[in-house]
Amino acid sequence: MDFEKATDKRVTLVGAGPGREDLITIAGLREIQSADVLLYDALVNTKLLDYAKPNAQRIYVGKRSGKHSLSQPEINALLLECALTKNHVVRLKGGDPFVFGRASEEIEYLESFGISVGIVPGVSSAISVPASQGIPMTKRGVSTSFWVMTAATKEGCFSRDLKLAAQSSATMVILMGVRKIKEIASFVSSYRIKQTPMALIQNGTLPKETCITCTLNTAQSAFATVDITQPGIIVIGDVVADQSSFYDEEIQRVLHSYL
Amino acid sequence: MDFEKATDKRVTLVGAGPGREDLITIAGLREIQSADVLLYDALVNTKLLDYAKPNAQRIYVGKRSGKHSLSQPEINALLLECALTKNHVVRLKGGDPFVFGRASEEIEYLESFGISVGIVPGVSSAISVPASQGIPMTKRGVSTSFWVMTAATKEGCFSRDLKLAAQSSATMVILMGVRKIKEIASFVSSYRIKQTPMALIQNGTLPKETCITCTLNTAQSAFATVDITQPGIIVIGDVVADQSSFYDEEIQRVLHSYL
């Protein structure tokens, strides 16, 4: 029995999806159900924790813009401690673990102690949150590629990739950029035509989801009162025109600028 | 009752995920279970169809490289016919419907007849198939963005975006490019250092999954015997070095070149 338990020990990184609880995968839900301990992030829907065994330990290790409850080394150490003392450890991350999820760091840390890590991918917020607003990543005759990036480098300035992306015809998806959204619009408008549509979606796939659409040209007024304490996903590209209220919002904004 | 049935009529576009049946979302599975008719593509795991009601109609509308069983206008017409005659139509697509899924065309066609379309996102193959090989999209200090694209434009030549992507530091994910994989490697090596790691993954997340890794420099021999009739996902970027057999395979290949 002890031997069986010992071989049963494992750590699984699970993508929780973009927000709505039923956007987790079947495989992901099964891992939650068999977990002895769950370490979960800020962007994970906490309703998912209800599917865990009643006696499973639930540990919040969330990070939010500017507010770290645990540093990455602290999370790594906690993961290791759990892996050594519990049978099945589930590390639950918002969206997909391999998209800006720092999953690789956690995997490498655990593997350096001989602990192998399973991965269950999740529905990435980068793709599915725009989708929830009817914005596709690619569309025949409109966009044949998409580029997912963060706004700023560790040094705080815009990355060279942001410039190349602005010069390309790719749909741009920018994560962790809400605080700089007006600067981003201004920067990209040096390279793309000013009528290029743009969107900011916050609380994606959740009941309180909001979406603001505009063009690069009207972005400064459109995003004047955005709640920058909430994370959000920025999309720039002609595909944004597929969002249902894009044309109405833009006409209102242009008309208003003449009043 | 008739009225209730009438309001119950709907079409849902569902992402089936990358291949493994348990990588569909809970929401996606529920839609399958309530469908009266399912229209599904070549890359959808057919085991998912077993979850539909026994009397639900299952229609294959798959397309494969060079072999179209139904053209897009034929699929659109069939979708419309189903939408007008059945209560719940599920359009099941491999991966995520909004990533090269031509979802927008089907939605616009149906909406032009006043039929609204629900969307359930899926786990995108572009992200999850590399993940199944331990290859992350982004990694601190290695890659801060990723760019998903097809290899060729409608005209058959490499797109301008492929060139810009090659010049950037983004992880490149190339779909529908297996037939041109050697030309892609050669093209990208004009812009990136020749030691840049590269991978081709076929049958991703399924038991018969295969992965070949190499560098841009060794790509011509590595991909000499690839089965180009099978679709696959190409990844180019330093993150590929995280794949477990990358270093071993590359050392073997380099040693072999001296023999």
Side-chain angles (χ1 to χ4, degrees), chain A residues 140, chain B residues 13 39 41 61-63 68-80 91 93 100-109:
Chain A
R140 258 174 112 83
Chain B
L13 242 102
L39 288 83
D41 280 342
V61 295
K63 287 179 280 190
H68 285 230
S69 59
L70 279 185
S71 68
Q72 191 62 48
E74 285 169 331
I75 294 173
N76 291 352
L78 186 58
L79 262 174
L80 178 64
R91 176 73 176 100
K93 286 169 175 286
F100 300 107
R102 302 187 68 166
S104 305
E105 289 167 70
E106 297 179 8
I107 293 169
E108 282 173 12
Y109 185 79

Side-chain angles (χ1 to χ4, degrees), chain A residues 100 108 138-139 145-146 148, chain B residues 100 108 138-139 146-148:
Chain A
F100 301 109
E108 283 173 10
T138 65
K139 186 177 175 181
S145 72
F146 66 98
V148 181
Chain B
F100 300 107
E108 282 173 12
T138 65
K139 185 176 176 180
F146 65 100
W147 196 344
V148 182

Side-chain angles (χ1 to χ4, degrees), chain A residues 73-142:
Chain A
E74 284 170 330
I75 293 174
N76 291 352
L78 187 57
L79 261 174
L80 176 64
E81 189 193 315
C82 291
L84 294 173
T85 55
K86 305 276 183 174
N87 266 335
H88 186 201
V89 182
V90 164
R91 176 72 175 101
L92 200 55
K93 286 170 176 285
D96 182 84
F98 271 176
V99 176
F100 301 109
R102 302 185 70 164
S104 305
E105 289 167 71
E106 297 178 9
I107 292 169
E108 283 173 10
Y109 185 80
L110 290 169
E111 285 183 346
S112 74
F113 290 91
I115 297 161
S116 67
V117 179
I119 303 157
V120 178
V123 170
S124 173
S125 310
I127 300 171
S128 61
V129 167
S132 73
Q133 285 290 331
I135 301 169
M137 289 290 101
T138 65
K139 186 177 175 181
R140 258 174 112 83
V142 178

Side-chain angles (χ1 to χ4, degrees), chain B residues 186-203:
Chain B
S186 167
F187 181 84
V188 176
S189 70
S190 313
Y191 302 97
R192 291 203 184 186
I193 61 163
K194 305 227 180 314
Q195 286 71 32
T196 304
M198 178 172 181
L200 169 68
I201 308 151
Q202 294 181 294
N203 295 302

Side-chain angles (χ1 to χ4, degrees), chain B residues 36-49:
Chain B
D36 297 301
V37 54
L38 295 114
L39 288 83
Y40 65 100
D41 280 342
L43 292 176
V44 167
N45 188 330
T46 51
K47 285 184 192 161
L48 287 171
L49 304 174

Side-chain angles (χ1 to χ4, degrees), chain A residues 130-256:
Chain A
S132 73
Q133 285 290 331
I135 301 169
M137 289 290 101
T138 65
K139 186 177 175 181
R140 258 174 112 83
V142 178
S143 171
T144 60
S145 72
F146 66 98
W147 197 343
V148 181
M149 69 200 82
T150 53
T153 59
K154 268 188 284 189
E155 295 74 36
C157 47
F158 287 137
S159 67
R160 183 172 159 267
D161 284 355
L162 191 72
K163 185 174 164 182
L164 282 168
Q167 290 174 308
S168 78
S169 62
T171 302
M172 296 171 67
V173 181
I174 302 163
L175 308 181
M176 294 172 273
V178 179
R179 281 169 196 274
K180 297 198 172 191
I181 191 162
K182 289 192 279 182
E183 291 94 314
I184 291 167
S186 168
F187 181 83
V188 176
S189 69
S190 313
Y191 303 96
R192 291 202 184 186
I193 61 163
K194 306 227 180 317
Q195 286 71 33
T196 303
M198 178 172 180
L200 169 67
I201 308 151
Q202 294 181 295
N203 295 303
T205 79
L206 296 173
K208 55 185 174 172
E209 174 170 318
T210 58
C211 178
I212 299 169
T213 58
C214 59
T215 60
L216 293 174
N217 208 25
T218 56
Q220 302 304 316
S221 62
F223 298 125
T225 57
V226 157
D227 178 1
I228 59 166
T229 65
Q230 286 295 318
I233 289 176
I234 299 166
V235 189
I236 302 175
D238 291 337
V239 289
V240 172
D242 277 20
Q243 201 268 357
S244 58
S245 61
F246 168 73
Y247 287 105
D248 287 345
E249 281 189 25
E250 187 60 9
I251 288 167
Q252 286 304 316
R253 205 163 279 124
V254 171
L255 285 176
H256 194 78

Side-chain angles (χ1 to χ4, degrees), chain B residues 183-252:
Chain B
E183 292 94 315
I184 292 167
S186 167
F187 181 84
V188 176
S189 70
S190 313
Y191 302 97
R192 291 203 184 186
I193 61 163
K194 305 227 180 314
Q195 286 71 32
T196 304
M198 178 172 181
L200 169 68
I201 308 151
Q202 294 181 294
N203 295 302
T205 78
L206 296 174
K208 53 185 174 175
E209 174 169 318
T210 59
C211 178
I212 299 169
T213 59
C214 58
T215 60
L216 293 175
N217 208 25
T218 56
Q220 302 304 316
S221 62
F223 298 126
T225 57
V226 157
D227 179 0
I228 60 166
T229 65
Q230 286 294 319
I233 290 176
I234 299 165
V235 190
I236 302 175
D238 292 337
V239 288
V240 172
D242 277 20
Q243 200 269 355
S244 59
S245 61
F246 169 74
Y247 287 104
D248 287 345
E249 283 189 24
E250 187 60 9
I251 287 168
Q252 286 304 315

